[in-house]
Amino acid sequence: MDKYYSITELTREFDISTRTLRFYEDEGLIHPERRGRTRLYRPADRHLIAQILRGRRIGFTIAEIREIIQVYHEPPGEAGQLELLMRKVEEKRDELRRKRRDIDETIEELDNIEEACLNRLAEIGVTT
């Protein structure tokens, strides 16, 4: 007998809302079975949900996640998916490094402004 998960089980396990799961379904990322109005999630859906949430945590967009998932189902399959994922990871890493440089430069500029203010206050005789 196949193991199925209810929407309640998955929302509790992953600490997400039912709306989130329905959104992933609407976006074509997961495809639960339906029995009447009840959605039944297979272990493969559960695995995809975990991967989607992981992708979101590291900053992938829904479109990027969809692309990665779709590549798995097309030639060259898993190898193509892994190659695409490696490219996306490198792009995300580069983006984060750029953001880190921007943040470091902004902090340095703020430090310079603060130092200039302190110097000027000292020049005009105000102590801090």
Side-chain angles (χ1 to χ4, degrees):
M1 186 170 148
D2 289 335
K3 167 69 175 159
Y4 290 97
Y5 300 91
S6 71
I7 198 166
T8 302
E9 288 174 312
L10 293 178
T11 57
R12 285 184 183 151
E13 177 180 352
F14 293 110
D15 193 27
I16 56 176
S17 68
T18 57
R19 185 176 178 161
T20 297
L21 282 182
R22 289 185 185 116
F23 174 73
Y24 294 156
E25 183 180 353
D26 291 343
E27 290 294 316
L29 300 176
I30 57 175
H31 306 281
E33 229 176 83
R34 288 185 173 255
R35 292 201 185 133
R37 294 184 55 169
T38 303
R39 289 172 172 85
L40 298 173
Y41 298 86
R42 294 173 295 279
D45 295 314
R46 183 180 167 276
H47 176 74
L48 271 174
I49 293 164
Q51 297 307 309
I52 293 164
L53 294 172
R54 182 179 185 201
R56 296 296 291 151
R57 274 193 307 277
I58 60 175
F60 287 154
T61 66
I62 291 296
E64 290 171 320
I65 292 168
R66 181 184 308 103
E67 180 184 10
I68 292 165
I69 291 170
Q70 286 174 343
V71 167
Y72 180 79
H73 299 291
E74 301 168 0
E78 186 178 6
Q81 182 188 43
L82 293 171
E83 289 171 357
L84 173 63
L85 182 56
M86 287 181 355
R87 282 193 310 273
K88 295 287 185 186
V89 164
E90 187 58 33
E91 289 170 10
K92 187 58 63 180
R93 188 181 292 125
D94 290 345
E95 177 186 333
L96 289 171
R97 285 180 177 139
R98 280 190 303 277
K99 286 180 180 180
R100 182 173 24 193
R101 276 192 308 272
D102 291 346
I103 290 169
D104 289 343
E105 289 171 7
T106 301
I107 289 171
E108 186 177 336
E109 185 63 26
L110 290 169
D111 290 344
N112 292 339
I113 291 169
E114 180 181 46
E115 185 178 344
C117 289
L118 289 171
N119 289 338
R120 182 63 185 140
L121 285 170
E123 286 173 6
I124 60 174
V126 178
T127 58
T128 56

